[in-house]
Amino acid sequence: MNVYITGVSKGLGKALVEFYLKDGHRVFGIGRSHSFAHPNFQFIEADLNNVDALDIPFQVDDDMLLINNAGVIGNIKRLSDQELLDCKEVMTVNTIAPMILTANLLQQLPIHQKITILNISSGAATRSISGWASYCASKAALDRFSETIYLEEKEKGRNIRIFSLAPGVIDTDMQTTIRSSDAQDFSSLETFQNLKLNKELVRPEETAKNLAEFIKSYPGNWAVGSLKLLSQEL
Ligand SMILES: NC(=O)c1ccc[n+]([C@@H]2O[C@H](COP(=O)([O-])OP(=O)(O)OC[C@H]3O[C@@H](n4cnc5c(N)ncnc54)[C@H](OP(=O)(O)O)[C@@H]3O)[C@@H](O)[C@H]2O)c1
């Protein structure tokens, strides 16, 4: 299988690359940097905040998997208090880049080609968190986009599976950024600090394995929601 993964420098994306390489697949990492030296790994340099740089030629294999993983939390501050508005970057990296990569993939590959798309969503897609307006909006849009694309491609008879999954809380730099935000700007600060203190954050390697196993064994062709809740249905 040819696996394309965005945001592979660290966190969940890095762990997903490691998982799929170990599982014997050819992995293409899309992002600004990486640390892999593996014969089955190829790096495609792209800043996902630059929509003009996302014209990526996909190499066809019997089975294709695109994982839109790269994401940014943005300035953790109420929108009305932000001096430097970064909603454009958050929406571009988290939502518009996955939309463009998906469009490129679907337009390049024939209808009979087996394709799986996994979008890494968040619990914030369905739960509003003060200080995260752009992030919540970006992930809600990603969920709705995923579901709509599945409807569209099913109408065309495409051999496709689409998932938009909230992976749960993971011990990555994104959580470090969240914990180091200002309590004045972020009313949920203590909740996120306690997740770390109470060892409730999951290792990225474990989440990567759970996601990969879920999309492999899930009987349906699409799912949008929490990885944990959906896994209980298996
Ligand atoms: N951590 C959690 O608890 C949690 C919970 C729910 C959902 N998620 C989602 O999981 C995904 C992975 O997050 P993570 O926790 O692994 O975060 P992370 O450790 O901060 O990693 C984010 C990745 O995205 C890449 N990225 C960011 N901006 C980019 C850009 N403009 N162009 C290319 N790559 C870019 C980063 O690359 P650079 O090194 O180039 O910045 C990095 O590889 C995200 O979609 C996030 O929203 C995370």
Side-chain angles (χ1 to χ4, degrees):
M1 177 162 69
N2 280 359
V3 184
Y4 287 77
I5 304 173
T6 66
V8 296
S9 63
K10 58 185 178 177
L12 179 60
K14 187 172 183 223
L16 283 163
V17 172
E18 284 161 358
F19 178 90
Y20 281 105
L21 285 175
K22 212 169 158 194
D23 212 33
H25 303 285
R26 225 169 138 211
V27 180
F28 299 77
I30 305 170
R32 295 185 289 203
S33 65
H34 77 101
S35 56
F36 291 97
H38 189 287
N40 283 342
F41 179 82
Q42 200 172 309
F43 185 59
I44 302 167
E45 195 176 344
D47 180 352
L48 299 176
N49 193 28
N50 177 8
V51 291
D52 297 327
L54 300 181
D55 197 6
I56 284 158
F58 289 93
Q59 289 185 34
V60 182
D61 194 17
D62 290 353
D63 205 352
M64 300 282 291
L65 170 62
L66 167 64
I67 305 181
N68 286 303
N69 160 77
V72 287
I73 188 84
N75 284 336
I76 301 179
K77 230 176 199 200
R78 294 170 196 94
L79 196 77
S80 55
D81 295 332
Q82 292 190 11
E83 305 86 32
L84 274 176
L85 267 186
D86 66 352
C87 50
K88 197 172 159 197
E89 179 187 351
V90 175
M91 293 305 292
T92 305
V93 175
N94 296 4
T95 316
I96 297 174
M99 291 167 88
I100 292 175
L101 290 175
T102 300
N104 284 348
L105 181 75
L106 297 179
Q107 287 171 12
Q108 285 175 33
L109 300 185
I111 205 96
H112 55 78
Q113 170 69 50
K114 193 174 172 202
I115 300 172
T116 302
I117 298 173
L118 167 60
N119 292 326
I120 304 299
S121 184
S122 164
T126 49
R127 188 163 61 97
S128 302
I129 298 170
S130 172
W132 292 10
S134 307
Y135 184 75
C136 293
S138 73
K139 294 296 187 178
L142 189 64
D143 279 1
R144 196 57 50 236
F145 170 73
S146 308
E147 217 169 273
T148 310
I149 290 304
Y150 179 69
L151 287 178
E152 291 183 4
E153 295 307 306
K154 201 176 123 196
E155 283 175 4
K156 288 176 83 170
R158 196 186 281 276
N159 187 4
I160 193 165
R161 302 176 80 227
I162 300 190
F163 301 93
S164 192
L165 301 176
V169 282
I170 320 162
D171 201 359
T172 65
D173 280 0
M174 186 175 277
Q175 286 290 336
T176 311
T177 304
I178 294 167
R179 284 195 304 277
S180 52
S181 58
D182 195 322
Q184 283 199 331
D185 298 317
F186 186 46
S187 49
S188 303
L189 181 62
E190 210 180 313
T191 306
F192 283 87
Q193 287 175 336
N194 285 338
L195 286 176
K196 179 70 173 174
L197 283 175
N198 299 333
K199 301 192 180 345
E200 289 176 63
L201 297 177
V202 178
R203 287 184 316 112
E205 294 78 14
E206 198 179 325
T207 305
K209 183 171 169 278
N210 290 342
L211 284 164
E213 283 177 355
F214 176 82
I215 60 169
K216 197 172 174 185
S217 53
Y218 190 72
N221 286 332
W222 72 275
V224 172
S226 147
L227 171 67
K228 192 174 170 190
L229 291 179
L230 286 161
S231 297
Q232 288 168 5
E233 290 176 16
L234 293 178

